[in-house]
RNA sequence: GUGGGUGUAGUCAAGUGGUUAAGACAACGGGUUGUGGCUCCGUCACGCGUGGGUUCGAAUCCCAUCACCCACCCCA
């Protein structure tokens, strides 16, 4: 019990850490080019933030939050990244800066769910948010950032799906029409769809059951119910995406599971990593700030799952460059040479080299073997002979070529380089 | 929460009631006192996820339990 991590959590080991470093650096880099600045918010927030932000009828709030009481306050590990950021910009009055405010983050989130491929209880995501703009340029910019990010990583098996879920007004009209359409046949639907009827009838449109698919054909489509403003926005979004060269497909099935969304909704999906194929999902949330008691600030953004991203890259066979192996291993023989070796390793490290020394007391042959296993580039030998003669041998491991030079730090360094 | 699958050393694995639980890779040591990748030798599960039960005898059969994986739901 004490020797296993809690269900749904994973240790990040050195054999994987370099992959995380890689995608994190690439993400920070593209955000920099798109003008997004990093924000870091606390891992936990007041529970109420998520209840009101994400929505108290959502699965996340109803059954997936890690919540506890402390000092008579209810606190919750963040299940998503947007609400905390919205809270932070309101609290810190960032809306007084030149608008729009463009932020990105790199966080872990927590949801109590049953783990499966591409789903963990502690998972990690990148996110970006743009605040203060109603303009569809912002939506297109956010989407283009994600699109470029995938392309720069060499990912091809991923498709952008976009939709508009309308404003509260047109969405309500559509829901009413949808319910009228579905009601007569409600008994014929699967059990999950019957549940969805009240909570989120839109979900019934992309049920996996063939029987439900049948019953759903010809149902009213959201896009036909958009009010003039929403319709104009959605057309503008598409026009902007096209202008930027972003390929997309309109998918009326895109439904966001968090209550705060309106208008633009999008997902980057793949079928290469199992059932959880949404690698990146987001949209517009113009009413979120107000609904948590903040100022009226429109926003648009996305969350991008890092675990899923890595799964996609792995499935596509995309190689991530591993960290460089050591430049040199200092092998030694005998106690006098040991002291000399310790001094040398430290000096080499201070001079910026990745230098290694055997800490297990192996014999010379063992030290060479160790150097080989670590894929060290050079091995230098220090023994009585070297100390007496003031010369050292450096062996280039790849070619087995060995040179003898003066025992002098500058000569050693220039020989290695 | 519901369903399916899997659990033998660090990893991959043989073994399906009967002597001391194959093998491979890895790791570590060594092949006569100073040089790796090849090769050779050695070490490495009183133990088969855990706990019960059946049996003269169980990794192998039964029950329970735990863990991991996958899928539903939902989402990143």
């Amino acid at each position: 019990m004490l020797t296993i991590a809690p269900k749904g959590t994973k240790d990040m080991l050195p054999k994987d850490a370099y992959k995380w470093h890689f995608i994190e650096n690439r993400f920070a880099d593209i955000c920099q080019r798109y003008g997004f600045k990093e924000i870091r918010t606390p891992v936990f927030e007041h529970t109420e933030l998520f209840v009101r932000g994400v929505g108290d009828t959502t699965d996340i709030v109803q059954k997936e939050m890690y919540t506890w009481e402390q000092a008579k306050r209810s606190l919750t590990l963040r299940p998503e990244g947007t609400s905390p950021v919205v809270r932070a910009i309101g609290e810190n009055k960032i809306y007084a800066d030149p608008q729009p405010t463009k932020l990105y983050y790199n966080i872990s989130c927590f949801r109590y769910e049953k783990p499966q491929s591409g789903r963990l209880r502690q998972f990690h995501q990148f996110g970006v948010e743009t605040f203060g703009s109603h303009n569809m340029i912002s939506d297109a910019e956010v989407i283009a950032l994600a699109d470029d990010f995938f392309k720069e990583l060499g990912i091809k098996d991923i498709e952008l799906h976009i939709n508009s879920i309308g404003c509260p007004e047109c969405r309500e009209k559509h829901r009413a029409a949808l319910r009228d359409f579905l009601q007569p046949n409600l008994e014929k639907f699967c059990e999950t769809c019957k549940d969805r009827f009240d909570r989120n009838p839109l979900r019934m449109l992309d049920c996996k059951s063939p029987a439900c698919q049948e019953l759903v054909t010809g149902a009213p489509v959201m896009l036909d119910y958009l009010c003039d403003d929403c319709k104009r926005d959605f057309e503008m979004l598409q026009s902007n995406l096209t202008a930027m060269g972003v390929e997309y497909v309109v998918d009326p099935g895109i439904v966001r599971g968090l209550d705060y969304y309106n208008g633009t909704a999008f997902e980057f999906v793949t079928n290469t990593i199992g059932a959880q194929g949404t690698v990146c999902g987001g949209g517009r949330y113009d009413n979120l700030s107000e609904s948590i008691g903040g100022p009226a600030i429109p926003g648009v953004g996305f969350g991008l799952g890092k675990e899923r991203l890595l799964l996609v890259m792995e499935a596509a066979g995309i190689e991530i460059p591993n960290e460089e192996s050591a430049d040199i291993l200092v092998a030694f023989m005998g106690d006098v040479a040991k002291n000399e070796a310790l001094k040398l390793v430290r000096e080499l490290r201070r001079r910026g080299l990745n230098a290694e020394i055997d800490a297990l007391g192996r014999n010379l042959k063992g030290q060479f073997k160790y150097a080989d296993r670590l894929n060290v580039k050079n091995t230098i030998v220090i023994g009585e002979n070297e100390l007496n003669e003031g010369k050292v041998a450096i062996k280039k491991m790849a070619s087995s070529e060995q040179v003898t030079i003066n025992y002098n730090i500058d000569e050693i360094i220039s020989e290695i380089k």
Side-chain angles (χ1 to χ4, degrees), chain A residues 320-361:
Chain A
I320 296 177
N322 202 339
E323 258 123 49
E324 287 267 302
S325 52
D327 299 306
I328 186 164
L329 178 127
V330 180
F332 62 92
M333 305 187 65
D335 285 341
V336 180
K338 183 196 80 176
N339 288 334
E340 207 49 50
L342 285 170
K343 186 174 143 197
L344 177 60
V345 191
R346 187 174 189 215
E347 190 55 29
L348 288 168
R349 287 171 173 165
R350 284 175 148 174
R351 301 280 205 103
L353 290 159
N354 179 346
E356 264 299 348
I357 187 164
D358 167 50
L360 294 194

Side-chain angles (χ1 to χ4, degrees), chain A residues 80-81 105-109 111 123-127 303-306:
Chain A
E80 59 99 33
Y105 51 81
N106 177 4
I107 60 174
S108 44
C109 294
R111 292 184 200 172
F123 62 100
H124 300 78
Q125 60 177 222
F126 297 128
L304 195 161
K306 287 160 70 175

Side-chain angles (χ1 to χ4, degrees), chain A residues 58 161-166 171 174-175 178 196 199-207 220-223 250-269 278 280-284:
Chain A
T58 59
H161 291 206
I162 65 169
N163 189 25
S164 173
I165 59 171
R171 187 155 64 245
H174 172 243
R175 280 165 82 108
L178 194 55
R196 292 194 262 230
R199 270 210 305 145
N200 199 346
L202 272 173
R203 285 273 178 221
M204 297 171 73
L205 299 182
D206 55 355
C207 180
V221 177
M222 180 71 235
L223 295 176
V250 173
D251 179 356
I254 298 293
V255 183
R256 305 275 71 213
L258 289 69
D259 281 358
Y260 54 63
Y261 285 109
N262 70 281
T264 305
F266 64 91
E267 288 182 4
F268 286 84
V269 296
T278 301
C280 173
R284 181 161 274 278

Side-chain angles (χ1 to χ4, degrees), chain A residues 144-203:
Chain A
L145 189 157
D147 190 59
D148 274 343
F149 182 54
F150 291 129
K151 287 197 165 66
E152 289 178 8
L153 290 173
I155 295 168
K156 295 189 177 75
D157 309 315
I158 205 159
E159 201 168 62
L160 168 60
H161 291 206
I162 65 169
N163 189 25
S164 173
I165 59 171
C167 57
E169 291 76 44
C170 45
R171 187 155 64 245
E172 212 28 70
K173 273 187 221 154
H174 172 243
R175 280 165 82 108
L178 194 55
R179 287 211 175 92
D180 287 347
F181 177 87
L182 298 167
Q183 180 87 64
N185 290 319
L186 190 54
E187 279 312 304
K188 298 179 192 158
F189 280 91
C190 70
E191 287 310 309
T192 37
C193 275
K194 283 176 192 163
D195 283 346
R196 292 194 262 230
F197 183 77
D198 285 322
R199 270 210 305 145
N200 199 346
L202 272 173
R203 285 273 178 221

